[in-house]
């Protein structure tokens, strides 16, 4: 996957570098990283992010020009008091210029940038986001300031927010810059047994504030693979207290981070694309459940279920805003994947997450067969609530029935999709539903799908009514459907249509005459009702697209 300068900066930007100039924007492809010093001769640096060491300020101006001639993708320098001269050189040469903060160690910047470009820290195939994305997600879920470290206390990723700048304490600042934390504080952490507790297992450790050392309150959790610690997630408290469920979020995040760190250590482990394809294949019924169970260490005979999450559109927009809305939708889906992965791992350690089309799926093992746990519904509700707070986009979740083994995950996924398809998605409608909650609606949707897909089954009476309404500008279809929905209660149906009861009675009699409806026959009445619902739904789906496309398509039930 091609990495851009924007992706590198999203991970290692502030507080390490500032973008001073980028004549061609930030979507410049970056193929690698090179370090040069003033003694290096001219060379070709096509597509490279070049770190200029050994020269700063005005001494770096001719180097910037030379690197631009070598077609460097971007140049990073320490500017001193020569920012204006360096900017002018970059503009003239047409090369992006990054100014590195004076107190940042070059090896720190090199390490983080290399992780992004090598696939260890950027937006890669490593499943639901990367370590930087995970850190940002945990920051938002905990209301804290996050860093993820390896066992040598090297910072691998951290959250970024302009609002955090004034709240960052000295320990975090020095850690990110690549320096050692305050020795007295680190010694106290050891004396208090904090590091021992983090090594010991899945315990969220709280560390009190020490104002005399310039250190704020923290939460921490070890990242483990079995008995082996891979790293630590630290969350510093900012201006606001930690979120109520911050400890639960950290636990889930540590389990997600473990997979990332394992893949960083050994690319021979199930790679991200393969892992993702395995889960997607399980959900589609294409991949053997035994293979998936073996790769992820699951018991394929244990019960499991699938929860599906869908980003709901913000609503129709003018044609000029459609592209913006689609981009926002895609961004929301990516963020939803991160949130689902963390919360699903909190609910079940071995949860598997995959996205497909416009939906995100969580395969949840070891669930009860005969009941939907309140904790599961609460997890899905929290995912929807958090995504709404983060992006302003509504999310709904459909929960399929539990199946006897992992091989039934595809069937549970189909149920979860059908639940989402049947859920009303207005702003006041529920955000989470299980198959048992909407069984009638799901079965009705399946019946309507069958009728729409089978022209030979169409009710000729309904066809006549639809044609009559089209030719005469009437609404006999809507009137009869309202009467049927109200089970023959004229006053209730008229109230819903905001017409006089006598007006509705006339319309129903007229519809009977036009279409030869048999409303006094229970079976015929049921047939008319189903076909009327199918006709109305078909009319909504096939309405011309507001963008002006010449063909509209019904949304796929597979998401």
């Amino acid at each position: 996957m091609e990495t851009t300068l924007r992706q590198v900066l999203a991970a290692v930007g502030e507080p390490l570098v500032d973008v001073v100039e980028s004549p061609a924007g930030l979507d410049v492809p970056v193929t690698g990283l090179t370090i040069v010093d003033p003694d290096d001769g001219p060379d070709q640096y096509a597509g490279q992010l070049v770190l200029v060491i050994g020269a700063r300020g005005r001494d770096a101006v001719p180097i910037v020009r030379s690197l631009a001639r070598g077609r460097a993708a971007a140049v990073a320098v320490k500017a001193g008091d020569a920012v204006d001269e360096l900017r002018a050189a970059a503009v003239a040469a047409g090369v992006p210029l990054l100014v590195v903060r004076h107190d940042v160690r070059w090896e720190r910047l090199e390490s983080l940038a290399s992780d992004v470009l090598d696939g260890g820290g950027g937006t890669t195939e490593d499943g639901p986001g990367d370590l930087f994305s995970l850190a940002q997600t945990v920051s938002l879920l905990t209301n804290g300031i996050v860093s993820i470290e390896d066992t040598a206390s090297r910072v691998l990723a951290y959250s970024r927010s302009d609002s955090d700048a004034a709240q960052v304490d000295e320990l975090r600042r020095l850690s990110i810059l690549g320096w050692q934390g305050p020795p007295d504080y680190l010694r106290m952490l050891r004396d208090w047994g904090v590091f021992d507790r983090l090594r010991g297992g899945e315990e969220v450790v709280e560390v009190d504030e020490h104002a005399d050392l310039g250190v704020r309150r923290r939460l921490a959790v070890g990242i483990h693979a079995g008995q082996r610690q891979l790293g630590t997630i630290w969350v510093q408290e900012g201006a606001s207290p930690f979120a109520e469920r911050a400890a639960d979020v950290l636990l889930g995040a540590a389990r997600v981070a473990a997979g990332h760190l394992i893949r960083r250590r050994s690319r021979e482990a199930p790679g991200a694309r393969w892992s993702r394809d395995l889960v997607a294949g399980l959900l589609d019924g294409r991949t053997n459940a035994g293979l998936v169970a073996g790769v992820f260490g699951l018991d394929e005979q244990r019960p499991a279920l699938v929860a599906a999450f869908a980003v709901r559109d913000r609503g129709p927009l003018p044609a000029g805003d459609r592209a913006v809305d689609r981009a926002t939708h895609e961004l929301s889906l990516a963020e939803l994947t991160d949130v689902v992965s963390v919360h699903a791992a909190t609910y079940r350690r071995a949860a598997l997450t995959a996205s497909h089309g416009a939906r995100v799926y969580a395969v949840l093992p070891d669930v009860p067969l005969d009941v939907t746990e309140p904790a599961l519904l609460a997890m899905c509700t929290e995912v929807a609530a958090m995504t709404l707070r983060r992006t302003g986009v509504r999310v709904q979740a459909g929960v399929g029935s539990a199946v006897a083994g992992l091989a039934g995950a595809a069937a549970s996924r189909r149920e979860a999709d059908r639940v989402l398809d049947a859920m009303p998605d207005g702003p006041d409608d529920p955000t989470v539903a299980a198959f048992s909650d909407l069984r009638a609606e799901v079965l009705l949707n399946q019946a309507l799908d069958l009728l729409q897909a089978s022209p030979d089954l169409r009710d000729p009476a309904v066809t006549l009514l639809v044609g009559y309404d089209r030719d005469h500008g009437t609404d006999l279809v809507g009137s009869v459907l309202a009467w049927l929905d109200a089970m023959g209660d004229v006053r209730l149906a008229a109230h819903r249509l905001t017409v006089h009861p006598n007006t509705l009675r006339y319309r129903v009699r007229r519809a009977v005459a036009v279409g030869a409806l048999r409303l006094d026959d229970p079976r015929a009445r049921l047939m008319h009702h189903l076909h009327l619902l199918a006709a109305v739904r078909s009319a909504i789906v096939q309405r011309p697209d507001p963008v002006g496309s010449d063909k509209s398509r019904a949304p796929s039930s597979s998401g």
Side-chain angles (χ1 to χ4, degrees), residues 484 518-529:
L484 289 168
R518 294 184 292 151
L519 299 180
D520 55 345
D521 182 330
R523 291 180 177 80
R525 187 166 63 242
L526 175 60
M527 178 187 67
H528 295 326
H529 200 168

Side-chain angles (χ1 to χ4, degrees), residues 289-290 292-294 296-304 350 365-366 404-407:
V292 176
F296 294 102
L298 303 177
D299 183 348
E300 66 175 305
Q301 304 302 324
R302 298 289 297 165
D366 295 322
L406 202 59

Side-chain angles (χ1 to χ4, degrees), residues 282-285 304-306 399-418 435:
L282 177 70
L283 292 169
D284 285 344
L305 65 75
V306 175
V399 181
S401 298
V403 290
L406 202 59
S412 184
R413 177 259 174 111
R414 287 192 295 271
E415 278 195 0
D417 276 331
R418 288 166 181 160
F435 180 73

Side-chain angles (χ1 to χ4, degrees), residues 307-313 329 332-333 336 340 356-361 380 383-384 387 393-398 416-417 419-421 423 425 431 559:
F309 300 83
V311 175
R312 299 305 192 187
D313 291 333
H329 187 96
S332 301
L333 182 64
L336 172 62
V340 170
H356 178 70
R359 293 182 178 177
V360 178
Y361 299 92
C380 295
V383 167
T387 308
V393 174
R394 293 186 69 252
V395 165
Q396 287 185 306
D417 276 331
V419 171
L420 278 176
D421 292 339
M423 291 178 71
D425 60 357
T431 55

Side-chain angles (χ1 to χ4, degrees), residues 438-455:
L438 294 176
R439 189 180 302 273
E441 290 84 350
V442 169
L443 294 178
L444 175 60
N445 273 349
Q446 288 184 263
L448 298 183
D449 286 340
L450 174 62
L451 293 178
Q452 285 181 293
S454 306

Side-chain angles (χ1 to χ4, degrees), residues 205-544:
V205 179
E206 182 172 349
V207 182
D208 294 333
E209 178 179 11
H210 288 269
D212 55 324
L213 297 174
V215 176
R216 293 175 178 265
R217 179 185 175 213
R218 272 172 170 72
L219 296 177
V221 65
I223 304 168
H224 293 270
Q227 299 300 314
R228 185 175 182 182
Q229 185 182 8
L230 305 177
T232 307
I233 301 179
W234 294 90
V235 186
Q236 178 213 305
E237 191 170 56
S240 304
F242 289 127
E244 182 179 350
R245 298 184 64 248
D248 290 337
V249 168
L250 269 185
L251 186 61
R255 294 170 180 175
V256 173
H260 288 295
L261 294 185
I262 289 170
R263 287 187 288 271
R264 288 167 63 94
R265 291 187 174 203
S266 173
R267 293 300 172 184
E268 295 180 0
R273 179 181 293 278
W274 186 49
S275 299
R276 185 181 61 206
D277 288 346
L278 278 179
V279 179
L282 177 70
L283 292 169
D284 285 344
R286 295 180 289 105
T287 301
N288 181 273
L291 173 62
V292 176
V295 169
F296 294 102
L298 303 177
D299 183 348
E300 66 175 305
Q301 304 302 324
R302 298 289 297 165
L305 65 75
V306 175
F309 300 83
V311 175
R312 299 305 192 187
D313 291 333
R314 297 171 182 265
L317 292 177
D321 293 335
R322 179 65 60 160
V324 174
D325 186 58
R326 285 172 180 158
T328 301
H329 187 96
E330 291 175 6
L331 178 61
S332 301
L333 182 64
E335 293 184 332
L336 172 62
T337 303
D338 288 333
V339 175
V340 170
S341 68
V342 170
H343 281 79
T346 303
Y347 173 70
R348 285 292 186 273
R349 171 192 291 275
L352 306 177
T353 308
S355 61
H356 178 70
R359 293 182 178 177
V360 178
Y361 299 92
V363 182
L364 305 168
D366 295 322
V367 297
L369 260 178
D370 55 349
V371 65
T372 302
E373 288 184 324
L376 168 59
L377 300 179
M379 182 271 287
C380 295
T381 301
E382 180 64 19
V383 167
M386 178 53 63
T387 308
L388 180 63
R389 289 195 293 270
R390 289 179 60 180
T391 67
V393 174
R394 293 186 69 252
V395 165
Q396 287 185 306
V399 181
S401 298
V403 290
L406 202 59
S412 184
R413 177 259 174 111
R414 287 192 295 271
E415 278 195 0
D417 276 331
R418 288 166 181 160
V419 171
L420 278 176
D421 292 339
M423 291 178 71
D425 60 357
D428 298 322
D429 289 316
T431 55
V432 180
F435 180 73
S436 57
D437 299 325
L438 294 176
R439 189 180 302 273
E441 290 84 350
V442 169
L443 294 178
L444 175 60
N445 273 349
Q446 288 184 263
L448 298 183
D449 286 340
L450 174 62
L451 293 178
Q452 285 181 293
S454 306
D456 55 311
L457 296 179
R458 287 177 185 166
D459 183 356
V462 171
T463 301
L464 287 172
L465 285 185
V466 171
Y468 185 89
D469 280 346
R470 182 182 59 246
D471 296 340
H472 296 82
T474 54
D475 188 21
L476 298 183
V477 168
S479 299
V480 175
L481 191 53
W483 181 83
L484 289 168
D485 284 343
M487 294 184 291
D489 187 329
V490 173
R491 292 191 177 278
L492 176 60
H495 175 73
R496 291 173 177 171
L497 292 174
T498 64
V499 300
H500 193 277
N502 287 340
T503 300
L504 180 59
R505 291 188 182 95
Y506 168 78
R507 290 180 181 177
V508 172
R509 288 196 300 269
R510 184 62 185 153
V512 170
V514 169
L517 300 176
R518 294 184 292 151
L519 299 180
D520 55 345
D521 182 330
R523 291 180 177 80
R525 187 166 63 242
L526 175 60
M527 178 187 67
H528 295 326
H529 200 168
L530 289 173
H531 282 274
L532 285 166
L533 288 170
V536 169
R537 187 174 75 162
S538 179
I540 293 173
V541 170
Q542 294 175 8
R543 185 172 298 163

